[in-house]
Amino acid sequence: MPKILQQIADADTAQELEKKLEDALEPNCRVFIHNDDVTPYEFVINILQRIFQLAPHEAEYVTFIAHTSGVAHVATLPCPEAHKRVGKAHFAASLDGYPLMF
């Protein structure tokens, strides 16, 4: 590999490692979903799959627990990532007029 390409590859690798280290050092936040009487069950499952990347059976389980208990743990993520995903979920819910809260 030419020297310049090796330097670029090394820089990319260094940036990736730095990002992983930063993520590892970030404090984690636990994300919880709160039940409401308005947001449809299927909409919640869809949000959990699309935004929080839960498998279909996990999304159904979390939705069931929230529905029956009032609140359920969704995920534990680095805080910046958790805030980003919660913001996306709130935005998606507000577009459809639902009061879904995390």
Side-chain angles (χ1 to χ4, degrees):
M1 178 182 296
K3 188 173 183 174
I4 188 70
L5 292 179
Q6 184 61 46
Q7 290 173 339
I8 292 170
D10 289 345
D12 287 344
T13 302
Q15 287 175 342
E16 289 174 22
L17 289 174
E18 186 175 323
K19 174 70 173 135
K20 287 180 182 179
L21 180 60
E22 286 175 9
D23 288 347
L25 296 176
E26 283 288 338
N28 285 335
C29 288
R30 294 186 301 171
V31 178
F32 290 89
I33 185 169
H34 297 271
N35 186 51
D36 63 67
D37 295 332
V38 179
T39 309
Y41 209 82
E42 290 301 320
F43 182 84
V44 174
I45 291 170
N46 190 2
I47 290 292
L48 293 174
Q49 288 178 301
R50 273 193 6 237
I51 296 175
F52 292 95
Q53 272 102 49
L54 297 186
H57 68 279
E58 292 173 315
E60 289 178 32
Y61 178 74
V62 169
T63 304
F64 174 76
I65 295 299
H67 182 72
T68 57
S69 301
V71 66
H73 178 256
V74 175
T76 301
L77 303 163
C79 286
E81 183 66 23
H83 289 288
K84 183 173 99 176
R85 291 186 192 195
V86 167
K88 285 182 178 183
H90 285 164
F91 181 72
S94 70
L95 287 177
D96 285 343
Y98 299 127
L100 185 61
M101 290 300 300
F102 288 89

